[in-house]
Amino acid sequence: MDVSEKVDMVLRGLQQYFAEHPDVEFVSAVDANKYLDKKGILRDRKSRSGAPLRELLREGEIPNAEKVGHLWRIYRR
């Protein structure tokens, strides 16, 4: 799977997360990666929870995201 396919799957997974949590304005990288791992979309790392998603965030692959302090937030579109 190439990066664009992975990003597409992650974005669809995030849309699903927000559909299931309509009252949530944003999700942290750690919580989002846990959700994506549970759904079989993006494997999380036990030693560094949220790291696979943070890598995509640092590369600018995930829209509607920002780093606040040392934590990433992914906002509902």
Side-chain angles (χ1 to χ4, degrees), residues 19-58:
E20 292 175 14
H21 301 88
D23 56 332
V24 174
E25 180 183 339
F26 65 87
V27 63
S28 71
V30 171
D31 290 339
N33 212 145
K34 285 179 185 176
Y35 177 84
L36 295 170
D37 183 47
K38 180 180 164 185
K39 296 293 184 178
I41 297 169
L42 184 64
R43 302 282 290 159
D44 203 358
R45 292 188 192 145
K46 301 298 179 204
S47 62
R48 299 241 346 149
S49 188
L53 184 55
R54 282 195 303 274
E55 290 171 6
L56 293 174
L57 290 163
R58 284 186 205 112

Side-chain angles (χ1 to χ4, degrees), residues 2 8 10-11 14 18 24 27 35 42-43 53 65 68 75:
D2 69 10
D8 286 343
V10 167
L11 292 176
L14 290 170
F18 285 118
V24 174
V27 63
Y35 177 84
L42 184 64
R43 302 282 290 159
L53 184 55
V68 178
Y75 293 91

